[in-house]
Amino acid sequence: MTSGVDEATEKIRSMQIRGALDIGIAAAETLKNVVDSTDAKNLISELEDAGLKLKSARPSAISLPNSVDYVIYLANKIRDKEELSEKIQEFIDDLRNSINTIAEIGSNLINDGDVILTHCQSDTVGEILKKAWDDGRKINVICTETRPRNQGYLTAKKLSGHGIPTTLIVDSAAYFIMKEQRVNKVIVGADTIKASGDVINKIGTSQIALCAHSMNIPVIVAAESIKFSPQSIYGKFVKIEERSEDEVADIPGVKIRNPAFDVTPSEHLDMIVTEHGIINPIDARSFIMDKFDWKF
Ligand code: RUB
């Protein structure tokens, strides 16, 4: 396989590249390399092979197949390789820019004095919080550790490195701390958003959203449109990644489970911030029909 496809697939699989947006961008960049280095006559089959490989790297972030499918859609439409390569670059640039637009929109939801809880590590959420801080809003952020891979450490380091007062807690302290610290907003990222408005994100998100919902604390999801699932319109199931038990514990005779994502029902979510504006989770279906017209 040419053009770094195996390397990119391995980096996504081993989580050297992680987070749904970065995974989608890495897939598009890899396929652009395929376009730039393959004969025009073999291009579609090379892209399809590379796309299949990339898609197999991780199953729960829809940004990965969406990104692959969009590049292949472009390749079927645009036969001139140079023009195709430019269009793929435009797509990559749009993906990169969408996070800044979400930061603009999402930071307006943050008020001075907010105590915000976030889970895992989402670049999109991070940019919202940093923008709110840069705009002068004095916020406090609580990060969950996010066992077993501890992505919450990355979030805590990034935010505190930016000057934002940041507290790290173990995952099981979420409910206690939400009450004690009077958390007034929960903000999380997303790996996949279904037509029903249900959101697939890092394992533990659904518990946090349930706690927040029970205390009337708004739960905000920050996600680029590439993370919505057109396949879910037809009821396609999203596979929840089950990672190695080695990440959790080694206790002889004990079965270990390590699901990496969970599904938060739309009724426990208040809004989704996208680069196209804020939507009600129950409007996800029409959002998908509108933004994925190339799919239908
Ligand atoms: C990452 C995770 C993030 C979303 C959104 O899981 O669940 O919340 O991917 O991230 P993992 P972003 O570490 O297993 O990839 O906003 O950066 O796209």
Side-chain angles (χ1 to χ4, degrees):
M1 186 67 62
T2 54
S3 322
V5 176
D6 289 328
E7 291 87 334
T9 304
E10 189 43 40
K11 279 189 180 161
I12 295 171
R13 195 189 310 281
S14 62
M15 294 175 66
Q16 289 170 65
I17 299 173
R18 47 153 298 284
L21 184 64
D22 282 354
I23 293 173
I25 291 173
E29 284 176 337
T30 308
L31 295 181
K32 182 176 178 298
N33 287 339
V34 174
V35 170
D36 293 341
S37 62
T38 307
D39 267 359
K41 67 175 170 39
N42 297 327
L43 190 55
I44 299 291
S45 67
E46 287 280 338
L47 283 175
E48 278 170 352
D49 289 351
L52 276 179
K53 212 166 228 190
L54 287 161
K55 283 182 188 181
S56 73
R58 289 190 81 187
S60 299
I62 203 75
S63 48
L64 177 56
N66 278 349
S67 191
V68 167
D69 291 350
Y70 187 66
V71 171
I72 293 176
Y73 160 80
L74 288 177
N76 277 304
K77 225 174 56 151
I78 305 166
R79 290 301 163 153
D80 179 70
K81 258 179 29 118
E82 215 168 295
E83 193 192 340
L84 173 60
S85 183
E86 276 169 24
K87 285 283 176 220
I88 300 171
Q89 189 56 51
E90 264 174 38
F91 170 56
I92 295 167
D93 294 343
D94 284 350
L95 289 177
R96 288 197 199 289
N97 291 334
S98 55
I99 193 169
N100 301 325
T101 313
I102 293 182
E104 286 283 339
I105 300 169
S107 61
N108 287 321
L109 299 168
I110 313 282
N111 299 313
D112 204 36
D114 276 354
V115 183
I116 299 163
L117 184 136
T118 188
H119 185 55
C120 195
Q121 194 271 329
S122 155
D123 285 343
T124 316
V125 171
E127 290 308 304
I128 289 177
L129 298 174
K130 287 196 289 186
K131 175 86 174 69
W133 179 260
D134 292 346
D135 287 349
R137 271 153 252 151
K138 298 279 168 264
I139 55 174
N140 280 276
V141 179
I142 295 162
C143 304
T144 50
E145 212 175 14
T146 319
R147 279 271 296 150
R149 300 283 299 213
N150 299 328
Q151 289 95 329
Y153 296 4
L154 300 173
T155 308
K157 268 189 209 154
K158 269 193 193 162
L159 297 180
S160 75
H162 199 76
I164 301 174
T166 305
T167 306
L168 183 77
I169 60 169
V170 296
D171 300 310
S172 43
Y175 185 67
F176 176 82
I177 292 287
M178 277 158 98
K179 272 196 159 169
E180 190 208 54
Q181 293 300 308
R182 298 178 189 279
V183 166
N184 67 335
K185 279 180 188 111
V186 168
I187 309 187
V188 292
D191 282 79
T192 297
I193 301 175
K194 293 166 56 174
S196 60
D198 295 353
V199 168
I200 289 135
N201 191 51
K202 180 53 54 194
I203 190 80
T205 304
S206 64
Q207 284 175 189
I208 290 169
L210 181 62
C211 294
H213 184 67
S214 78
M215 290 185 269
N216 289 320
I217 299 169
V219 181
I220 301 168
V221 175
E224 298 74 16
S225 51
I226 193 80
K227 297 170 185 168
F228 284 72
S229 168
Q231 295 86 335
S232 67
I233 296 272
Y234 309 113
K236 190 165 185 262
F237 182 72
V238 177
K239 188 168 184 285
I240 297 296
E241 179 178 3
E242 181 88 25
R243 296 189 63 83
S244 163
E245 56 193 55
D246 302 346
E247 291 181 349
V248 180
D250 180 11
I251 308 171
V254 176
K255 178 180 171 179
I256 309 282
R257 291 285 316 275
N258 186 16
F261 296 92
D262 65 18
V263 186
T264 303
S266 62
E267 56 268 30
H268 296 166
L269 302 169
D270 292 270
M271 58 184 98
I272 304 174
V273 186
T274 79
E275 74 275 26
H276 300 289
I278 297 172
I279 67 163
N280 186 324
I282 58 169
D283 294 329
R285 176 177 297 270
S286 49
F287 183 84
I288 292 170
M289 299 298 281
D290 185 40
K291 303 301 173 216
F292 286 83
D293 52 348
W294 59 273
K295 256 286 192 196
F296 300 110

